[in-house]
Amino acid sequence: MDDLTEMLKGTLEGCVLEIIGSEETYGYAITRRLNELGFADVVEGTVYTILLRLEKNGLVQVTKRPSGLGPPRKFYALNDAGRKELATFWAKWEYITSRIDKLKEGGK
Amino acid sequence: MDDLTEMLKGTLEGCVLEIIGSEETYGYAITRRLNELGFADVVEGTVYTILLRLEKNGLVQVTKRPSGLGPPRKFYALNDAGRKELATFWAKWEYITSRIDKLKEGGK
DNA sequence: AGCAGTACTCGGTATCACCGAGTACCAGGA
DNA sequence: TCCTGGTACTCGGTGATACCGAGTACTGCT
């Protein structure tokens, strides 16, 4: 699949929130998860910028833990604000997809 | 519904393509159509920038016609390149929505 | 020692939707 | 006559976001 980056604007952050929300995890693993999910071109740098932003916006709780194979990992978990943000993300997603599907059906 | 703009990046252009593809029409009417479809906050300036971009990228054929009530209208119709672009837009859309739905189901 | 895999950082770029102010044309009412 | 409101398009600038690319650092294996 060719370049999806423009269409991922705004949704990729939601995906990362969802992944963090379902399990406390860290950047490198999140990137792998996104890749195996089908977002093959998403690269580490992108995920880390999202992670930094989430942290800056106070949506996650961060815990640093040693790794065993490599430098220490920064584990991310959602806090209350993060869970709330995730919920609004899904609400927006539902809204947009429903409208676009309607448009696609040639609907009024 | 609160601010959707980030999530519309990349998809709004596709919506405009779809609208033009189903009927030769002009900027002001496209804006109204988007508004009544549920994209309430989309404003004329946004649509016109998209239209200019489509024209610049050679995806549309433009015809100017007098209006009767107001200044002349610029009617837009898809050409072959535009129809092709619209098809790839829908392909990308299908792809992304399917992946995100999978993620949402907690799927592997 | 050197290499590959893991793991995070950071400055810069392009694209896109949005903002806001401006221009222009026409109809009907005060 | 003026002026308000609806129609219709233009354009320079802004902010958010994903991407790029290069760099740093730690570990285990050969």
Side-chain angles (χ1 to χ4, degrees):
Chain A
M1 175 65 53
D2 42 310
D3 194 29
L4 302 173
T5 78
E6 287 311 324
M7 226 182 263
L8 286 176
K9 295 264 175 88
T11 63
L12 198 53
E13 179 177 317
C15 294
V16 172
L17 277 174
E18 173 66 26
I19 291 173
I20 295 174
S22 72
E23 177 193 20
E24 187 190 41
T25 181
Y26 56 99
Y28 190 81
I30 293 171
T31 309
R32 295 289 151 266
R33 179 97 173 85
L34 286 169
N35 293 152
E36 78 184 20
L37 259 165
F39 303 108
D41 298 336
V42 173
V43 88
E44 288 156 46
T46 301
V47 174
Y48 288 115
T49 55
I50 292 173
L51 257 12
L52 265 316
R53 191 163 65 233
L54 295 179
E55 188 175 357
K56 198 185 91 192
N57 294 345
L59 302 176
V60 289
Q61 192 210 334
V62 189
T63 316
K64 202 168 219 169
R65 300 213 185 91
S67 159
L69 33 62
R73 296 165 175 163
K74 286 176 70 177
F75 280 82
Y76 292 84
L78 294 189
N79 58 25
D80 285 342
R83 274 183 289 274
K84 203 170 155 191
E85 183 67 21
L86 179 58
T88 61
F89 166 73
W90 283 125
K92 286 188 195 178
W93 178 252
E94 292 298 337
Y95 187 85
I96 289 187
T97 52
S98 73
R99 305 299 141 153
I100 297 212
D101 286 345
K102 192 158 69 170
L103 168 64
K104 196 181 167 190
E105 312 304 332
K108 261 232 59 82
Chain B
M1 176 64 54
D2 42 310
D3 194 28
L4 302 174
T5 81
E6 287 312 324
M7 227 183 262
L8 286 177
K9 295 266 176 85
T11 64
L12 198 53
E13 180 176 317
C15 294
V16 171
L17 277 173
E18 172 67 26
I19 291 173
I20 295 174
S22 71
E23 177 193 22
E24 188 190 40
T25 181
Y26 57 99
Y28 191 81
I30 293 171
T31 309
R32 295 290 152 266
R33 179 96 174 86
L34 286 169
N35 292 152
E36 77 185 22
L37 260 165
F39 304 109
D41 298 336
V42 173
V43 90
E44 288 157 46
T46 300
V47 174
Y48 288 115
T49 55
I50 292 174
L51 257 12
L52 266 315
R53 192 163 63 232
L54 295 180
E55 189 175 356
K56 198 184 91 191
N57 293 345
L59 303 176
V60 289
Q61 192 209 335
V62 189
T63 316
K64 202 169 217 167
R65 299 213 186 90
S67 157
L69 33 61
R73 295 164 175 163
K74 286 176 70 178
F75 281 82
Y76 293 83
L78 295 188
N79 58 24
D80 285 341
R83 275 182 289 273
K84 203 171 155 191
E85 182 67 22
L86 178 58
T88 61
F89 165 73
W90 284 125
K92 286 188 195 179
W93 178 252
E94 292 299 337
Y95 187 86
I96 289 187
T97 51
S98 74
R99 305 298 142 151
I100 296 210
D101 286 345
K102 192 156 70 169
L103 169 65
K104 195 180 168 191
E105 312 304 332
K108 259 239 49 95

